[in-house]
């Protein structure tokens, strides 16, 4: 009974279908990926985090237009992952993105959805050499990532610990905190704050 009450609780409104299907989110920028990554970054931006990377394998459903229930949020994010914050060099971010686009042909869950940054990749190049541009958003707009600079990054604890091939975070992350709030609660809170939510893509991931 109490669980049903939680699942049926309306937490937000959506102005349209928020696409989160695997055949979309695991190969390109998708509305649910943007929503999840934006929610993660906004939660910890005041802690000095610059960018967010979410693995598309953690996104499991779309949300229909209209009322959004907590049950729908749980269906999108069923794994009870927690927010993880850490610091890495720009070169590590590039390596992480290379991993993210390395198995697109297999529609693998490692494909990265991002916030606070944009990247372009070339599918014709071999895995490990596909990232052709990375820009990070700052006070003065977007600028090329500095491979030597340190960046604050937020992801989920599964990715931070090396899940979906993100070994670079497990090996090189500094100032790690893996015990943030659960991702489903972060998403629900963001929908409440920004609602009614309008699904969108804005070109933050491009294919060349």
């Amino acid at each position: 009974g109490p669980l049903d009450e939680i699942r049926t609780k309306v937490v937000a409104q959506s102005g349209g279908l928020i696409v989160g299907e695997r055949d979309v989110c695991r190969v390109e920028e998708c509305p649910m990926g943007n929503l999840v990554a934006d929610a993660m970054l906004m939660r910890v931006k005041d802690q000095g985090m610059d960018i967010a990377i979410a693995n598309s394998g953690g996104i499991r459903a779309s949300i229909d237009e209209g009322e959004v229930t907590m049950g729908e949020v749980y269906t999108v994010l069923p794994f009870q992952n927690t927010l993880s914050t850490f610091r890495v060099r720009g070169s590590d971010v590039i390596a992480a993105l290379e991993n993210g686009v390395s198995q697109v042909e297999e529609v693998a869950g490692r494909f990265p959805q991002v916030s606070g940054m944009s990247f372009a990749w070339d599918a014709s190049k071999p895995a490990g050499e596909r990232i052709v541009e990375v820009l990070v958003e700052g006070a003065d707009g977007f600028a090329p990532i500095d491979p030597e600079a340190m960046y604050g990054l937020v992801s989920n604890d599964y990715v931070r610990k090396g899940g979906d091939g993100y070994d670079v975070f497990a090996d090189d992350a500094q100032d790690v905190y893996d015990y943030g709030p659960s991702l489903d609660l972060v998403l629900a809170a963001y929908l409440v704050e920004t609602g009614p939510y309008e699904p969108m893509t804005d070109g933050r991931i491009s294919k060349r």
Side-chain angles (χ1 to χ4, degrees), residues 41 51 65 69 101 103 115 119 139 145 165 206:
L41 184 58
I51 56 182
E65 181 179 1
T69 65
V101 299
Q103 296 184 2
S115 182
F119 72 89
I145 196 168
S206 58

Side-chain angles (χ1 to χ4, degrees), residues 21-103:
E21 299 305 314
R22 60 184 292 158
D23 59 345
V24 180
C25 293
R26 296 187 180 198
V27 298
E28 63 187 21
E29 176 190 358
C30 71
M32 187 64 76
N34 287 353
L35 170 58
V36 171
D38 286 349
M40 293 165 64
L41 184 58
M42 286 304 297
R43 184 62 172 249
V44 294
K45 200 165 180 62
D46 62 355
Q47 299 175 27
M49 298 300 111
D50 304 299
I51 56 182
I53 295 180
N55 62 317
S56 293
I59 298 170
R60 291 299 172 124
S62 300
I63 289 179
D64 293 331
E65 181 179 1
E67 293 183 341
V68 180
T69 65
M70 201 63 212
E72 288 179 292
V73 174
Y74 290 148
T75 302
V76 173
L77 303 169
F79 299 113
Q80 297 185 313
N81 292 125
T82 56
L83 227 54
S84 181
T85 56
F86 49 99
R87 297 182 65 78
V88 287
R89 294 193 182 280
S91 57
D92 296 325
V93 176
I94 296 169
L97 295 174
E98 287 284 10
N99 169 69
V101 299
S102 66
Q103 296 184 2

